[in-house]
Amino acid sequence: MTRDRSERSPVVCGVDIGSTNTKVVALTPQGAVVARRRRTTPRGAVDPSIDAQHLLFAIEEMILDICGDSYRVHALSVAGVGEDGVLVDDSLAPLTTALAWFDPRRGDVFAGLTTRIDPHEGLCTADDAARTLVGWRWALDQPNTSHARSWIALTDYPASVWTATPFFSDTLAARTAAWNGRTRGWVDDRVAATIGTTALLPPVRRAGEIIGSFVGGRLTTAGVIDPDAVVVAGGHDHPIGGWAVHAMHPGAVLDSMGTAEVVVAQAPAADIPRNADLDVAPGIRSPGTTVLSVEELARNVEWAYQDPAVGERLHELITGDTTPDPYLHQSVFIPGSRGGVAPRYAPDAPTSPLSRASAVLGALARLGAHAQDTVGACLPGHPPLYAAGGWSRSPGWVQAKKAVTGRDITVIPEPQVTATAAALLAANAIGWNAEPAIALGITAHPETLAPAGSSA
């Protein structure tokens, strides 16, 4: 028998729409994680595009599964991928699929735009094929889009549907390469050359801002949504995760180690300019600036794995089953660089698989340190460093980074940092005092601690 709403325990939910997996986390008012769910992000059978309605259904299924007859949701926020999105009609039904930020079709579209868009110093990120404006141009060339009402970022799509209110999270607007972060306005000539008109771009809303209440839908019908529940603007996954770490430890830096290594922080200064190594976005719940530096990680490792002997040693080093040799500190591996430049070994590189693997590991650790330096230069003092992402679970990799850089790194225990951060953002918006250190697993929730005198 389904429990009455009044008997359900209150939670907030955070969603992380990732390139590979989509996650949902539920938090109590105190910040304890009480449930997590994860599903593969649904992509097409022919290409990596996403049907936004299929994604929405999967997210709602996870929320229903989390809540069961035990919890009711008081606020919900969504973070995720930065550049993907869809054109929608008046009912917010997608007219296109979401072109993945890594889809190779973007290359030709971007090449056709390079002569039509001029450089602009107010942009928050560099021009390349992954940016949202490429998706705009591609979407307009698809059939049956002449009656489009709006463009909605894929990450903002669930919240827009739940509230019947299209919007654009500001940290996602920063990823478009068509938004001036200093003026918080669109760059007209770039919009004209890609999506055609700002009339198709919904209002830009700040991360943590309440968008509205739930407007019907299957979650409401199922009784898992509190009558006063609200939907809160989230945004780009890395800034949202970095904000949560900052909320826990003001001034801290988050090093997120996944497909790429993304180092992010909340800088107190406003209007920090972008440069070749630094992307920027609006500060989250602050007048400052979100600063990000991105380095390639997985591509370099995949290249090294082409030599099976090196790959085997590298795997052992990453997991901590083997100790690196002195080539960890030698610059005989040159990582691949932006624009698709391939990795390579220096002419004087050793032939030993262990030495080559050690050199790869050391070079990637120094690459990450450069990103840390770039972000740290925007912050006062010596900011503490926290790590998250799949690579942070590999003890050999973390130890190698410490050995190469001499920097202490605190690995965040919570495996779903972005989804948890989105839930914290939702809690913050409705006035809950959810404790970030508890949510991220740095501090145990009092209810999980063993009683005094116990042997636990």
Side-chain angles (χ1 to χ4, degrees):
M1 184 176 187
T2 301
R3 294 168 65 184
D4 182 79
R5 271 185 198 153
S6 62
E7 298 176 353
R8 296 172 181 260
S9 300
V11 294
V12 292
C13 284
V15 181
D16 172 18
I17 300 172
S19 297
T20 304
N21 296 300
T22 296
K23 289 80 70 176
V24 178
V25 164
L27 294 183
T28 68
Q30 294 75 34
V33 175
V34 292
R36 304 179 189 86
R37 295 293 185 276
R38 180 175 70 175
R39 286 192 177 188
T40 301
T41 300
R43 295 192 181 275
V46 177
D47 59 57
S49 297
I50 293 176
D51 182 313
Q53 287 184 317
H54 289 174
L55 175 66
L56 175 62
F57 182 85
I59 291 170
E60 291 181 339
E61 285 289 296
M62 284 188 280
I63 294 171
L64 289 170
D65 188 33
I66 277 177
C67 290
D69 62 356
S70 299
Y71 300 110
R72 64 180 184 277
V73 178
H74 285 243
L76 204 156
S77 186
V78 184
V81 291
E83 286 85 4
D84 309 4
V86 292
L87 286 170
V88 300
D89 63 16
D90 286 337
S91 67
L92 304 189
L95 300 172
T96 63
T97 55
L99 185 69
W101 62 269
F102 54 84
D103 193 305
R105 289 176 291 178
R106 285 176 169 267
D108 290 339
V109 179
F110 180 64
L113 288 175
T114 53
T115 59
R116 301 176 60 191
I117 55 176
D118 296 322
H120 193 286
E121 64 178 13
L123 299 179
C124 299
T125 188
D127 284 326
D128 65 43
R131 302 299 162 232
T132 310
L133 55 68
V134 174
W136 290 346
R137 181 65 264 168
W138 176 85
L140 282 189
D141 290 338
Q142 304 310 301
N144 305 315
T145 58
S146 59
H147 59 294
R149 170 190 173 186
S150 181
W151 169 274
I152 301 179
L154 186 66
T155 292
D156 290 333
Y157 183 75
S160 294
V161 171
W162 290 329
T163 59
T165 305
F167 71 99
F168 215 136
S169 293
D170 58 357
T171 55
L172 297 176
R175 306 302 296 174
T176 62
W179 193 68
N180 187 329
R182 298 176 184 176
T183 64
R184 292 185 64 86
W186 298 108
V187 181
D188 290 339
D189 63 331
R190 286 176 168 247
V191 171
T194 53
I195 202 166
T197 172
T198 56
L200 287 174
L201 300 176
V204 175
R205 308 288 287 271
R206 293 184 180 274
E209 183 178 346
I210 293 175
I211 300 301
S213 302
F214 282 82
V215 180
R218 60 198 294 251
L219 295 179
T220 302
T221 301
V224 302
I225 301 297
D226 188 83
D228 297 323
V230 296
V231 179
V232 177
H236 190 202
D237 48 7
H238 298 297
I240 300 299
W243 166 81
V245 171
H246 171 80
M248 175 184 68
H249 195 155
V253 171
L254 174 63
D255 190 338
S256 181
M257 309 170 191
T259 302
E261 184 164 2
V262 183
V263 181
V264 59
Q266 295 292 308
D271 297 327
I272 295 175
R274 178 189 68 82
N275 61 49
D277 295 320
L278 188 76
D279 287 348
V280 297
I284 296 176
R285 301 193 70 81
S286 82
T289 306
T290 298
V291 287
L292 306 88
S293 187
V294 182
E295 299 289 356
E296 294 192 61
L297 190 57
R299 184 167 74 97
N300 288 296
V301 173
E302 289 166 0
W303 183 88
Y305 266 73
Q306 292 177 14
D307 182 328
V310 173
E312 185 177 351
R313 297 287 87 76
L314 187 54
H315 176 75
E316 292 171 353
L317 291 174
I318 290 169
T319 58
D321 294 330
T322 297
T323 302
D325 72 12
Y327 275 94
L328 180 75
H329 302 281
Q330 301 298 316
S331 299
V332 294
F333 172 74
I334 297 92
S337 56
R338 292 182 178 90
V341 177
R344 66 189 188 279
Y345 293 110
D348 60 341
T351 58
S352 159
L354 176 61
S355 296
R356 288 199 164 199
S358 298
V360 170
L361 204 64
L364 296 182
R366 287 187 289 277
L367 203 62
H370 174 71
Q372 294 166 10
D373 290 340
T374 299
V375 168
C378 302
L379 304 170
H382 300 284
L385 181 63
Y386 289 84
W391 279 67
S392 71
R393 312 293 166 196
S394 301
W397 166 245
V398 174
Q399 288 304 316
K401 287 179 74 71
K402 290 180 179 180
V404 168
T405 66
R407 296 170 183 167
D408 191 30
I409 304 172
T410 301
V411 176
I412 296 174
E414 169 54 47
Q416 309 300 347
V417 170
T418 296
T420 301
L424 284 167
L425 197 64
N428 190 290
I430 61 173
W432 285 10
N433 293 317
E435 176 56 54
I438 292 174
L440 296 174
I442 299 295
T443 300
H445 188 270
E447 293 179 2
T448 69
L449 298 177
S454 76
S455 59

